[in-house]
Amino acid sequence: MKYILIAGGVLILAIVLFGGMDFLNKYRTRFWIEDGKFIYKDGVITNREKELDVRRIQSIDFSEPIFHRLFGAVKLDITTPGDGIKIDTIKKSQAISLQDILYDEKSYIRDEVEAGASSEWPRVTEDEHGTQETASEVLYHMDGKSLLLMSMTSGALGTFLALVFGFINLIGANFLIERYFDYFEDAVASIALAIGLAVGLFIVVGYAIGILIMAMKYYKYSLEMKHDDLIVEYGLLEKKHQSVNINRVQNIIVKDSIIRRMIGYYSLSVTITSDSLDSEDIDGTVDLLPFIKRDRLYEIVQHIFPNYHVEAPTGKVPGRGYRRYFQVMTAILLIVTAVVQYFWFDYAWIIGLVLILVFVASGIYSARNSGYAIHGNEINLMTVGFFKRSHYVIKQEKLIEAEWVYNPFLRRDDLGIITLVTAAGILGSRATLKFIDQQDIDIIWNWAERSTSHAEDFSEGD
């Protein structure tokens, strides 16, 4: 009993000590704007001070977890190409005021990044008295129908499975799965039918729950433009508020799947540079329009990025490159199917045949849609994988690397693989065209070289 009391006392002391240190740290936290710098200072025993150039701030985001919302607080994240600043707890009113002040400060500071001759940055309009004021407008608001369709076509079942398996991995609840299947085996005489019903019910219920999760995540999704910053807001239980500076965008990505194309919906995202290690931000991708009609999407893109030429390129993969999109996976499936058929399951060939046909169809779809189009200092790349397309729009000055794969097997058919890399997060954004003609590789390579024409060649020497 004595040791239990001692352990409890130590635990309470630790909670009070660390909680008190955290409280003092938040109490001593200060931040202000001075001479175009955002200055942040905190610390109890050791003082820490950070300075951010306001011009280099790429996004000012805050989220409202359920616990924070009870106290009217938010988490604030100020992102730059460097480390940025994260404030775990701040009053929502303070966060909004700080955000507005930083936006105003940025709008009056001349940015050294050129945004394009066809547009004035920041955008300005004239009020009824003829004086100029900074534009602020809501570009898009997702309605209930679009929210439901997006949730149904956004991998809802995969979201549910990730949640379930994460829960199982956390608590090791394998006995729940065993009891679930035992219930159906007791209720249905046929084992095969019982397993079929159990799996079918799991898929239906999981899909429904996944739809609900996605709908709550993107509830009341909206896109607004204020000054030269784009702002997205969404969420039911946890409200999120993200922003991105237009001038800091590294590339534009338009995505779709074969199902979404059938109903005419696409998505739009952009990439920015950041050294954040957060799992959600590590690739630097910011979703601007997760689900929108094609015509409306291109209208908004033209409005936001008038200096970009967005055009879906036609397929460039020659006929001799088609089989390379599915031959490796087909060979693997043949081997696996043969082993399962021989040792365990007499009808494995049926499943294997269906999977092979799916991957062959996916490979042909990828080959037919992969392509590029060059317009001056800009390239449009269409990359495809398993019935999903990603349309990258890249400016020449944003390109940081080009990679070209050319091995003996590709050389025999005069084919190649090329990858263009732009800055995004800490990993970079990579757009890869596979198995296109060598002449097309040369065209893209020469275009990429023009963006680094000042570079010196060290490959040859005396």
Side-chain angles (χ1 to χ4, degrees):
M1 185 65 180
K2 180 177 68 174
Y3 294 108
I4 295 176
L5 291 175
I6 293 174
V10 171
L11 179 61
I12 293 173
L13 179 63
I15 292 173
V16 171
L17 180 62
F18 287 107
M21 291 288 289
D22 186 57
F23 174 80
L24 287 175
N25 182 57
K26 288 180 171 55
Y27 180 77
R28 289 172 56 86
T29 297
R30 300 289 185 272
F31 46 84
W32 65 92
I33 298 174
E34 181 180 332
D35 297 330
K37 304 285 186 181
F38 177 77
I39 303 171
Y40 176 85
K41 187 175 182 180
D42 69 354
V44 179
I45 299 175
T46 302
N47 291 328
R48 182 183 63 157
E49 185 172 323
K50 275 188 176 184
E51 289 188 3
L52 300 181
D53 188 337
V54 172
R55 292 176 299 178
R56 292 179 61 79
I57 292 176
Q58 299 193 121
S59 65
I60 309 161
D61 309 331
F62 62 81
S63 61
E64 302 177 59
I66 296 177
F67 184 77
H68 284 62
R69 292 174 69 181
L70 295 175
F71 300 94
V74 299
K75 291 182 177 180
L76 185 67
D77 187 4
I78 301 174
T79 304
T80 70
D83 189 27
I85 291 175
K86 297 180 184 296
I87 303 177
D88 289 333
T89 305
I90 182 175
K91 287 184 178 179
K92 183 177 180 180
S93 57
Q94 287 183 319
I96 295 174
S97 298
L98 177 61
Q99 189 180 59
D100 291 339
I101 292 171
L102 286 173
Y103 282 145
D104 291 337
E105 185 75 12
K106 282 160 59 66
S107 69
Y108 290 114
I109 296 176
R110 181 70 64 182
D111 200 302
E112 74 277 3
V113 178
E114 175 137 3
S118 61
S119 172
E120 183 178 7
W121 302 91
R123 299 172 184 267
V124 293
T125 58
E126 291 188 357
D127 61 15
E128 59 182 359
H129 301 292
T131 58
Q132 289 189 337
E133 60 180 12
T134 305
S136 176
E137 58 180 318
V138 176
L139 300 178
Y140 175 73
H141 181 79
M142 188 181 297
D143 57 26
K145 176 185 174 182
S146 297
L147 178 62
L148 180 60
L149 284 174
M150 187 202 70
S151 302
M152 294 174 66
T153 58
S154 297
L157 182 59
T159 302
F160 172 74
L161 290 177
L163 184 66
V164 169
F165 287 117
F167 175 75
I168 292 174
N169 184 58
L170 180 64
I171 68 171
N174 294 327
F175 68 94
L176 292 176
I177 299 177
E178 294 176 1
R179 294 195 63 180
Y180 174 77
F181 280 101
D182 288 342
Y183 173 80
F184 282 91
E185 289 179 3
D186 294 338
V188 181
S190 172
I191 295 179
L193 181 59
I195 294 175
L197 287 174
V199 172
L201 181 62
F202 180 81
I203 291 175
V204 171
V205 174
Y207 183 62
I209 294 176
I211 290 174
L212 181 62
I213 293 172
M214 296 297 294
M216 290 192 297
K217 177 180 178 180
Y218 289 98
Y219 181 72
K220 286 189 176 180
Y221 194 100
S222 65
L223 171 65
E224 179 185 356
M225 186 165 67
K226 187 174 185 180
H227 308 317
D228 53 347
D229 291 274
L230 300 171
I231 305 165
V232 295
E233 291 185 350
Y234 60 94
L236 179 60
L237 298 180
E238 180 180 0
K239 296 181 67 176
K240 289 200 172 184
H241 180 111
Q242 291 181 291
S243 64
V244 58
N245 185 274
I246 295 173
N247 297 324
R248 299 296 180 182
V249 169
Q250 300 301 306
N251 61 32
I252 300 172
I253 309 173
V254 178
K255 294 184 178 181
D256 67 73
S257 64
I258 191 169
I259 296 177
R260 288 190 173 186
R261 283 184 69 192
M262 292 172 63
I263 59 177
Y265 281 89
Y266 293 71
S267 68
L268 172 70
S269 58
V270 297
T271 61
I272 59 174
T273 55
S274 172
D275 288 337
S276 173
L277 294 176
D278 288 354
S279 59
E280 294 183 358
D281 304 324
I282 197 168
D283 62 351
T285 302
V286 179
D287 293 326
L288 297 182
L289 298 167
F291 195 73
I292 187 172
K293 282 284 189 180
R294 182 181 185 276
D295 294 340
R296 181 66 180 134
L297 180 144
Y298 281 100
E299 288 178 9
I300 294 176
V301 168
Q302 183 60 33
H303 179 64
I304 299 174
F305 305 104
N307 53 326
Y308 276 78
H309 181 90
V310 182
E311 175 188 336
T314 57
K316 293 287 186 179
V317 178
R320 61 186 183 278
Y322 274 48
R323 63 178 174 83
R324 296 178 181 273
Y325 279 87
F326 55 80
Q327 62 184 9
V328 174
M329 184 56 67
T330 299
I332 293 174
L333 284 172
L334 282 173
I335 295 172
V336 172
T337 301
V339 172
V340 174
Q341 173 83 21
Y342 184 80
F343 289 102
W344 293 291
F345 187 44
D346 292 338
Y347 296 100
W349 67 271
I350 299 177
I351 300 174
L353 179 61
V354 171
L355 291 176
I356 288 172
L357 291 176
V358 169
F359 278 100
V360 169
S362 172
I364 295 174
Y365 180 82
S366 298
R368 286 177 60 86
N369 287 275
S370 298
Y372 73 95
I374 294 176
H375 302 277
N377 69 334
E378 183 176 304
I379 188 169
N380 287 248
L381 290 175
M382 183 71 78
T383 66
V384 190
F386 204 75
F387 302 110
K388 292 184 178 181
R389 305 191 309 175
S390 296
H391 175 192
Y392 294 82
V393 189
I394 303 172
K395 288 286 188 182
Q396 205 170 49
E397 65 269 18
K398 301 293 186 180
L399 189 67
I400 61 174
E401 185 181 352
E403 301 174 359
W404 172 20
V405 176
Y406 191 52
N407 57 44
F409 299 101
L410 294 174
R411 187 180 294 114
R412 183 183 60 188
D413 289 335
D414 203 25
L415 300 172
I417 302 172
I418 191 165
T419 300
L420 301 183
V421 185
T422 54
I426 62 174
L427 299 177
S429 175
R430 305 172 68 86
T432 301
L433 279 181
K434 298 180 179 179
F435 315 127
I436 60 175
D437 196 279
Q438 182 59 44
Q439 292 182 351
D440 292 313
I441 293 286
D442 293 337
I443 291 172
I444 298 174
W445 186 263
N446 291 332
W447 176 86
E449 277 192 327
R450 290 201 297 272
S451 65
T452 55
S453 57
H454 60 281
E456 298 182 31
D457 186 0
F458 293 98
S459 60
E460 295 181 4
D462 294 336

